Amino acid sequence: MSHFPAFEVVPAVDMQDGEVVQLVQGERGTATRYGDPVEAARRWVDEGAETLHLVDLDGAFEGERANAAAVDAVLDAVDVPVQLGGGIRTAADAIDLLDRGVDRVILGTAAVETPEIVAEISDAHPGSVMVSLDAKNGEVVVSGWTEGTGLDPAEAAERYEALGAGAILFTDVDVEGQLEGINRESVERVVDAVDVPVVASGGVTTLDDVRALREAGAAAVVVGTALYEGRFTLAEAQSA
């Protein structure tokens, strides 16, 4: 299965308590609500999305999956590939989700704490693990962005590629959810470090940001707040 044969704009459907939300810099309590996940998913597919990015925010914070019903409903409602992150802590969790029809599982904290599960999941479902690297001030952070690891994002990306990761999701936390633009250089460094696709996320505000990430070598870009707030349409971003 080839991921992202051409550059893609991937809408984010972030879920909290069964509703679509967007947070500012990952802080709880900063959520703007955008309704039903299935409606959002259908809307983006109708507008031309070729992949959807689902995040279980309750799972990400609580360390367990809290929006399972909403995820299942989205999987039933759309027939584009879905990548899912948030609260996936074990290989068994991930394999269960992949068996149920999720195309890629996104591992963050779990991959940092137990890197070997990347290989374990990849053995069962080759190419299906996307390792999420969140960088703040140039270092990888985990646990809802509260804890530094001292790891360099490009070096971490290489390490996970060697373990079998099929893609890297790279988020610059310094610009996440604030509609203030992207950090192109940090994306380029990660792209240069690995051969697998690098999907960029965080801070995309304008069509110029989308173009800059494409030029930086990203295989795809995840867009949340800017699409929900109508800064540009999905079609505009795709043609950018």
Side-chain angles (χ1 to χ4, degrees):
M1 172 176 161
S2 80
H3 302 332
F4 315 112
F7 182 78
E8 271 187 48
V9 179
V10 180
V13 180
D14 292 3
M15 296 167 296
Q16 195 169 39
D17 301 326
E19 281 189 284
V20 178
V21 300
Q22 288 285 295
L23 304 181
V24 177
Q25 276 198 308
E27 297 286 333
R28 299 193 90 162
T30 60
T32 304
R33 302 191 174 279
Y34 296 102
D36 175 57
V38 170
E39 282 175 30
R42 282 206 174 110
R43 172 189 167 190
W44 299 130
V45 172
D46 287 347
E47 290 188 23
E50 291 168 40
T51 304
L52 290 177
H53 180 87
L54 268 58
V55 181
D56 182 339
L57 288 168
D58 299 298
F61 288 111
E62 307 301 335
E64 58 186 63
R65 300 189 49 249
N67 288 286
V71 170
D72 285 340
V74 170
L75 290 174
D76 287 344
V78 300
D79 54 9
V80 299
V82 169
Q83 55 196 40
L84 171 70
I88 303 170
R89 291 287 184 266
T90 65
D93 270 356
I95 290 166
D96 173 55
L97 287 163
L98 292 162
D99 288 343
R100 280 192 358 234
V102 170
D103 291 82
R104 278 187 291 278
V105 287
I106 303 162
L107 299 182
T109 305
V112 173
E113 289 173 353
T114 44
E116 59 275 11
I117 79 169
V118 174
E120 196 180 329
I121 300 160
S122 298
D123 286 347
H125 289 269
S128 66
V129 177
M130 177 180 263
V131 173
S132 172
L133 298 175
D134 296 339
K136 199 169 192 170
N137 304 322
E139 75 168 323
V140 176
V141 292
V142 292
S143 293
W145 303 339
T146 54
E147 230 175 289
T149 59
L151 290 172
D152 171 80
E155 285 169 28
E158 285 180 89
R159 182 184 304 182
Y160 290 115
E161 180 181 41
L163 285 167
I168 300 293
L169 176 67
F170 180 66
T171 306
D172 196 319
V173 179
D174 296 321
V175 295
E176 169 69 24
Q178 301 192 90
L179 296 177
E180 282 175 11
I182 53 121
N183 181 343
R184 179 172 164 174
E185 291 72 28
S186 59
V187 175
E188 279 175 343
R189 287 193 57 239
V190 176
V191 168
D192 290 345
V194 295
D195 291 328
V196 295
V198 174
V199 177
S201 166
V204 175
T205 310
T206 64
L207 295 173
D208 283 341
D209 290 337
V210 174
R211 285 186 201 101
L213 288 168
R214 181 180 188 160
E215 285 159 15
V221 55
V222 173
V223 186
T225 308
L227 282 176
Y228 287 97
E229 290 292 333
R231 298 294 177 103
F232 48 79
T233 66
L234 184 55
E236 285 169 340
Q238 286 170 329
S239 61

